[in-house]
Amino acid sequence: MADYNPQEIEAKWQKRWEEARVFETEADPSKPKYYTLEMLPYPSGTMHMGHMRNYAIGDVVARVKRMRGFNVLHPMGWDAFGLPAENAAIKNNTHPRVWTNNNIGEFQRTLRRFGFSYDWRREISTCEPEYYRWNQWFFQRMLERGLAYRKKSRVNWCPKCCTVLANEQVINGGYCWRHEDTLVESRELEQWFLKITAYSDQLVDDLKQLEGTWPERVITMQRNWIGRSQGARVKFEIADLSSVKPIEIFTTRIDTTYGATAIILAPTHPLVTRLLQGSPVREQAEPQLARMRQTSVKTADLVTAEKVGFFTGRHATNPFSGEKIPIWVGNFVLMEYGTGAIMAVPAHDQRDFEFCRKYGLPIRVVIQPSSGEPLVEEKMTVAFDEHQNGRLVNSGPFNGLSPDEAIAKMTAFAEKKDFGRGEVVFRLRDWGISRQRYWGTPIPVVYCPDHGLQAVPDKDLPVLLPPNPNLTGEGESPLASTPEFVNTTCPKCGGQARRETDTMDTFVDSSWYFYRYCDPHNDKAPFDSTKVAYWFPIDQYIGGITHAILHLLYSRFWCKVMRDLGLVNHNEPISRLFTQGMVLKGGVAMSKNRGNVVGAIDMAEKYGADTGRLYTLFAAPPEKDLEWNEEGIEGSWRFLNRVFRLVDKHAGAIRATRNWNFDSKGMTDKERDLIRVAYQTMQRVTQDFETRWHFNSAIAQIMELTNEIYLAEPLENGVRPEIRKEVLQILTLLLAPMTPHIAEEMWEMLGNTDGLWNAPWPILANEQLELAKDNEVEIPVQVNGRVRATLKVPADANELDVVAKAKAEPAVARHIDGKRIVKQIYVPDKLLNLVVQ
RNA sequence: GCCCGAGUGGCGGAACUGGCAGACGCGCUAGCUUCAGGAGCUAGUGAUCGCAAGGUCGUGGAGGUUCGAGUCCUCUCUCGGGCACCA
């Protein structure tokens, strides 16, 4: 009798897998491929059970597919650049590379300890020049095509990170994504941008391809983030200043133009200063403008701030009606969106309504609801902004049209008269990638006093990070104070030149890393396109919902750029996305900062990797958050011990037994029952793995099978050896994707000399399917929907027999005696319901 | 404000297309075993009335459809998440 010793067993099989190179894969067009991966981790601190759950889910997928005969690519790597490494290095007076590589070592050791089936030869680390040189190479391609450009603009600056953030990294209306309590400031800086907006339309349209295979909420979040709105641009001439060009406004409701009672400009609109020149209200207006421009810096406050504004003293002409309406400046109009100017239609837009009420501007109804009380201006308390329901009024020749008809007709009219046109506007902004920090990919350009901006030629890539930077964590990029980095020569004239000292956002690294796994050691190109063509698109991607916008949007963008460069031939990189839940402790996500982590290595040492894997899969369905419970893991540990004891007890006697040939002649009832349960469990578990991803209920089924076998003990009594072996082997195979080490060990104990890694996933033969069928079923008998008895009848019993038998049941008879049966519902093998009066 | 998602025992969670609600596990109770602790094994465990047989209630709440609803429809409450003066 041996005890279950996970430490020994796990080390033994990890070594065997490595020696047999079980998880190493090559592209092979003769086999069906399956590319699955989990989002690459940022190696900070140590791994906790939250990480582990993610990889456990991914490993089940990879192992099941492998057993199903797919050529499976399952790689792992490190998102190794980033601020925490730099900050930690400053704090501990070391180099970011040292800190990062220590962590990578720790992470790698932990992942190996858990026996995840990665092809480690393909491991990548984004902070290595072999990797980041291709970031630079891509940057040059984008620069050539105008997709990378430099401009001075207002950008988000995090005072704690001491760097610029992308719009996607600003959360909760103005806070840093890493420092959730730190307000982002607005600064005017020269920055590098990637022109993701060139792909706005495609990024929205192609979301349709992902419907059904990506979580709906990720698609919705991306759609909202890109924020495409169909509308129109309309010109309003400035009545008092004919020499100044007309004001252009953007609206999605051109049908309400007759109801416009003011034009409102953003405080930073370039026209504002010109309008105030010589204006009768200039004296009062200018201080207000100054105040507004100042307060607009804090974007977070905008949300709650009250609407304020002032009159410019000028008027504009409504191109439809010819009416003169006042031009105002309002703090709620954003320069960044649309044209930075709007027409205020207080009757049909809530914001305009509030603004106009406050400043006594008139309200004019131009859409009357088709049903209910007609609107009366003086009595309105909110704007009427529906456009499904209503008809135009007070709108000249457009009266009587529905808003949708009016939008089409009025846009056409504006185009004909040349004062407006239909336009699509996006919320998405270009991706600001400049970061004023050291630990990232250097942006590969130089500035020559004579030739200006020059790209570093491909042959000179990579532009390496200097080994000994001067890290302070303050002010401008550390690269700027590293003379041996900054001072260089112009690639055009060879004269003195200065390098760009900003580095790239680390989201550049993760935008294409999964392509590199296909060809990780290529030193001629980012990857060989034929290899990528074999593996891509990714069949299954697994990660947290936190990346719903950032990483997953950038990756989609990058894919489209690569397609246009002729490097890949697909539109979307990821066919199927799964977003798993977090592991919580005390109701919040595990994180080092909060000090509520359960270390993965600690768990492996205490219970073994298999128990840790099993528990994270069993405790909750994978998409849900999981509250960590130390008592729960004990249950998984007990279960594995129970299974191990069972196999250990029988192994000696059946080790040499030949596999059963499914001959059902002369089977005892006990044998039949056991085999049936085993095969039924197989069918259900297969379903749970393949189509439903219900790992938790798959495990519950396997536990039930184990309980059934225990109840049938002693098996030696009436169960022949080959059937004992069949049942125990099925139990072992079903566990293999989740708890691979103990499964291998038991497989060997049962007399198999060929590793379990070579075993195919069991698919039931016809004889087995026959044996899996129930020959007797239990049918609940209801009277008026209440269960009164349960009948045991043969499968496929006919209705008359069942009804007769049911009526004979005393508990049924009691409820139908003296009453009339008005209806009889019989669902074969399911239930019988008698409706009486 | 807008858009998603979720509400089932003491707890984590099952329930495929409407068909015995609470599988499986944790915890708890009792018994066996043990010097003891631990482990293991067996039985029980939604609430409620009843000595029992048996009955009634029960999936956040209120209605509805149906022979039958956790599941479908309408309204509503609570929690979680995302976006947010986006014109």
Side-chain angles (χ1 to χ4, degrees), chain A residues 368-372 384 388-391:
Chain A
Q368 279 294 358
S370 313
S371 57
F384 175 76
Q388 300 301 344
N389 167 27
R391 294 280 154 188

Side-chain angles (χ1 to χ4, degrees), chain A residues 93-303:
Chain A
N93 196 24
T94 172
H95 193 282
R97 178 173 296 281
V98 173
W99 186 86
T100 303
N101 285 342
N102 280 344
N103 286 340
I104 288 176
E106 185 65 25
F107 268 47
Q108 213 212 50
R109 189 169 75 86
T110 311
L111 291 178
R112 286 182 184 271
R113 178 64 191 79
F114 273 80
F116 296 124
S117 61
Y118 300 120
D119 183 350
W120 283 109
R121 299 169 311 156
R122 295 174 184 268
E123 178 183 6
I124 59 168
S125 175
T126 59
C127 68
E128 298 302 330
E130 296 77 54
Y131 183 83
Y132 71 70
R133 70 177 285 191
W134 301 111
N135 284 344
Q136 297 174 339
W137 185 88
F138 279 120
F139 181 90
Q140 304 301 33
R141 301 294 81 76
M142 292 196 203
L143 192 59
E144 288 159 8
R145 282 162 181 74
L147 291 171
Y149 67 94
R150 195 171 151 78
K151 83 170 180 208
K152 190 164 192 173
S153 71
R154 289 224 150 258
V155 290
N156 315 297
W157 175 271
C158 172
K160 279 211 184 137
C161 296
C162 281
T163 185
V164 167
L165 302 178
N167 290 337
E168 288 79 2
Q169 291 162 341
V170 179
I171 58 167
N172 299 334
Y175 291 87
C176 171
W177 67 306
R178 288 205 169 280
H179 304 103
E180 294 178 21
D181 55 344
T182 305
L183 262 179
V184 167
E185 296 167 6
S186 178
R187 287 199 181 181
E188 184 96 7
L189 287 171
E190 273 292 302
Q191 295 283 296
W192 281 99
F193 289 87
L194 298 185
K195 207 168 187 173
I196 190 169
T197 56
Y199 291 88
S200 298
D201 262 317
Q202 288 182 42
L203 287 167
V204 181
D205 290 341
D206 291 350
L207 286 172
K208 283 202 196 78
Q209 297 174 24
L210 306 175
E211 274 167 16
T213 55
W214 276 41
E216 203 184 296
R217 60 180 176 146
V218 174
I219 293 177
T220 309
M221 281 162 74
Q222 290 212 2
R223 196 170 277 137
N224 289 344
W225 184 261
I226 300 165
R228 176 162 67 186
S229 43
Q230 177 77 50
R233 185 184 277 254
V234 182
K235 285 182 205 167
F236 282 69
E237 301 283 348
I238 301 167
D240 330 83
L241 293 166
S242 53
S243 62
V244 179
K245 274 202 273 176
I247 296 172
E248 291 193 274
I249 61 104
F250 176 75
T251 178
T252 55
R253 295 294 305 273
I254 195 173
D255 55 311
T256 63
T257 309
Y258 283 85
T261 54
I263 291 293
I264 307 178
L265 304 178
T268 46
H269 196 288
L271 219 53
V272 175
T273 323
R274 177 68 192 86
L275 291 179
L276 288 180
Q277 276 171 25
S279 158
V281 299
R282 183 175 179 175
E283 297 276 301
Q284 306 96 285
E286 277 184 340
Q288 296 190 61
L289 178 66
R291 208 174 314 126
M292 242 183 240
R293 283 188 172 169
Q294 220 160 30
T295 49
S296 73
V297 170
K298 283 196 178 176
T299 43
D301 294 347
L302 271 182
V303 183

Side-chain angles (χ1 to χ4, degrees), chain A residues 56 59 63 114-116 609-617 737-738 740:
Chain A
D59 205 45
R63 285 178 181 268
F114 273 80
F116 296 124
D610 282 338
T611 298
R613 295 169 60 127
L614 187 71
Y615 177 63
T616 55
L617 293 167
M738 299 179 291

Side-chain angles (χ1 to χ4, degrees), chain A residues 657-667 671 675 679 720-727 729-730 764-771:
Chain A
T657 305
R658 234 181 282 156
N659 282 338
W660 186 43
N661 61 1
F662 314 134
D663 184 359
S664 58
K665 258 186 249 125
M667 277 175 93
E671 286 173 336
I675 282 288
Y679 288 164
R720 67 192 86 156
E722 58 267 38
I723 290 186
R724 267 186 271 162
K725 185 165 184 169
E726 175 75 2
V727 170
Q729 282 192 345
I730 285 175
L764 296 185
N766 287 338
E767 304 96 305
Q768 293 169 295
L769 287 174
E770 210 46 51
L771 287 163

Side-chain angles (χ1 to χ4, degrees), chain A residues 45 111 128 133 161 205 211 217 221 272 288 300 372 436 456 511 515-516 602 620 637 653 691 719 736 809 812:
Chain A
L111 291 178
E128 298 302 330
R133 70 177 285 191
C161 296
D205 290 341
E211 274 167 16
R217 60 180 176 146
M221 281 162 74
V272 175
Q288 296 190 61
Q436 292 70 42
V456 174
S511 291
Y515 287 89
R516 185 70 178 170
D602 302 342
W637 163 249
T691 53
V719 184
E809 285 286 321
V812 177

Side-chain angles (χ1 to χ4, degrees), chain A residues 28 84 86 152 209 231 240 282 294 301 313 391 393 443 447 516 595-596 699 706 709 729 742 747 781 787 819:
Chain A
D28 178 356
E86 194 166 334
K152 190 164 192 173
Q209 297 174 24
D240 330 83
R282 183 175 179 175
Q294 220 160 30
D301 294 347
R391 294 280 154 188
V393 295
I443 295 173
Y447 302 99
R516 185 70 178 170
N596 63 343
I699 294 167
T706 309
I709 301 173
Q729 282 192 345
I742 192 176
W747 190 246
V781 180
V787 181
K819 290 172 183 154

Side-chain angles (χ1 to χ4, degrees), chain A residues 627-643:
Chain A
E627 175 66 35
W628 183 260
N629 172 359
E630 195 73 30
E631 281 164 342
I633 197 169
E634 294 277 355
S636 296
W637 163 249
R638 279 201 285 272
F639 169 68
L640 289 183
N641 273 282
R642 204 165 136 83
V643 173

